[in-house]
Amino acid sequence: MKKLFLFTILILSFVIQAKSQSVEDSLKEQIGEIKDRISGLDERLLTSESSLSKLTKIKLSGYIQAQYDNFENKLSAPSLYNYFSIRRARLKVTYEAAEGIKFVLQPDFAPGSLSLKDAYVVLNEQWIKSGILKKTFSLWAGKFNRPNYEVEYSSSQREVPERSLIIRTLYPGERAIGAKLEVTPESIPLKIQLAIFNGNDGGFTQYSDTTGKSTSNTIENKDYDNFKDYMARATYSFKLGSFGGLDIGAHAYFGSLKSSTNATLRSDYKTIDSSKVGNSVSRNWFGGEFQFFADVLGGMSLKGEYITGNNATLGGAKFANGNLLPNFQNKFAGYYVYLIKNVGRKNQFAFRYDFYDPNTSVSGSDVNVLKFTGDNTMKIGALKCTKADLAYTTYTLAWHYYFDDNIRITLAYSIVQNEKVGKNASGTSNLIETYTNPNGTPGTIDYSQIFRENQLTLRLQAKF
Amino acid sequence: MNLIKIKRIAAILSIIGISVISFAFMNPVKITVKGSDTMVILAQKWAEVFMKKNPNISIQVTGGGSGVGVSALINGSTDICNSSRKMSQTEIDKLKARYNTLGIEIPCAKDGITVYLHPTNKVKELTIKQLSDIYSGRITNWKSVGGVDAEIKLYGRENSSGTYVFFKDNVVKADYAANCQTLPGTAAVVNAVKKDINGIGYGGAAYSTGIEICKVKKDAKSIAYAATAETIKSNQYPITRYLYMYVRNRPSGAIKTYIDWILSSEGQALVTQVGYFPVR
């Protein structure tokens, strides 16, 4: 009995051992399978991480501005007084190829005017490891904003719907093709920008060939003369403790156009400088700027810029008598001042005073008055000041409501005032223009009065 | 009759006014704090103690990294940003454009970026140059710095972290090596090094419990110091930094009360308790 019992125990222990062995084997097998699965997942994760890390180098941003405008520009053709439009529809793609190397591409998809706004490469200096010059230099090449405060200030952030008239005149389209060196020392709040551009601003330059045939350069991608335009800008930031800060700066523009005629008329409509076809006609100006930020019951800022100098447009088209129209070099001056006040976290008020006089050598009373005598050979004496010489003042009021980080609603009203022209001996205005009302009836604009060109804008901006 | 009407209207307006005011007082003021992961433990401790003393003020603390905090400050989704680095000029420019202020910077604690090693690692001290070489990938074997013949395993933070930026700018002074494994938070870095005998990591001093701290020296000729209260206060430890709070405008109301309390002896005592070092 005892032997039988021991035999049974022995058999059972063998069975249990065999069973436990098989359980152990099965567990080992399962662990092995799980390990293999984890290794597989690890591999897939590494592949995904590698693909994702490439994607993180691409950054997409942009904004859409849909708006309703109601305005009083009677001379617009066709006669329009209000419309809905998409002012800007931008998509900015930034690719950071490596530390310090960036490619940027920004088209504007506004209906009817698809255009390439930005296309540039930025190379940040990486070789200076310490000292004052560490991470100081960056080189830009391609099409990018010209170095100027209001030009570089994004339209998605600007506190009024459009840039001031002087900036729109001097820097049409804001961007230009060329190269730029930026110097921004880490330890000094100083920024220096030195740039060189083709100079065919905004892709459209009116010029004429040696035969006097007027034509235009609409190919922005290449230059049409060998002259290059140069720009320099420097800004310095002061901190005013917890009160705020003050940024001051200056910029200069040295440019030229290729003359297609043999004379250049100055903006006084009297002085003629002889020129040769192919010579350069200079356009140089200087500007000073400031931006003052104060923490007074929430944020507040006062910003301004003054620019003065000589601009130029090319002549060349033939007069009826066969003489060539001279180039025109105009002395100009203009400025703008912004007052911006944040009201709580969601609201913002802005006011801008903007003045631009395209010809400081004459006044409004000189328009259409044959008072200058010039070179009879050129028949320039017959030229008169036109409405293009009139100064304009614009007051813009704007209120912004920031619905959230992405949505901004803007209501803005611009009051535009022209410089008045004179009247003749009989009391009639020296400049009257006719226009047609939408209902077909004729109307007149008397430039001896301030005529209404005000504009109301309601804009919805979505930014991402 | 008119007088009665006026009295009724006045009574109704008073009731509405009192209700609005009471409602405003009954609802606790909410302050949101976002940013540095390094500062999360400290910020949570501050919030916890402060809310006990001020039950009418509610403070919500979240991490995400200094970069995330600064972005939140710019886009208006946080009241206070915690940052283990200074705001960059680009970030200040964004704040200027949106809020017309430069932001207010408040140094609220001091930290020594600590280098973590596995307790079995033979290496006990490193120079700044050696750390730079290790993290930039120029030194890849512990043997080169007096350790065993084994490959160095690098652990670090994500690029949204202020600690990542500070360590890169002040120690590595180059790009991080491609094989540096980035982890979401200093606690994760510490855990990774605890499990990896060949691992090395970096992070805030408050996370150094239960792990080997590597002494650091400025150069080969200098004395090596561990990150302690004394060495950080006396600037002997070579990788010290301030921890900051940023607000958009000069603080007022509940935010001012909270910041004043943080900078008081009571708030600063918690800094030491958590493992960082007071600024006052």
Side-chain angles (χ1 to χ4, degrees), chain A residues 99 129 134-135 153 157 159 242-245 247 293-295 298-301 340 342 345 348 402 405, chain B residues 74-79 89 92 94 96-102 104 168-169 173-175 248-250:
Chain A
E99 179 86 11
K129 303 289 179 195
K134 182 188 154 195
K135 286 188 181 175
Y153 198 64
Q157 292 175 322
E159 295 81 4
S242 63
F243 182 71
D247 299 348
F293 299 89
D295 191 353
M300 189 207 90
S301 68
I340 304 149
N342 280 66
R345 194 189 287 188
Q348 191 180 57
Y402 291 84
D405 184 33
Chain B
I74 294 164
N75 68 33
S77 60
T78 190
D79 299 306
Q89 191 55 47
I92 293 171
K94 284 181 183 169
K96 278 180 183 174
R98 173 63 182 87
Y99 290 100
N100 291 292
T101 64
L102 282 69
I104 306 289
K168 187 184 174 195
D169 287 350
K173 294 174 182 170
D175 288 347
R248 282 180 289 272
N249 304 105
R250 274 183 288 185

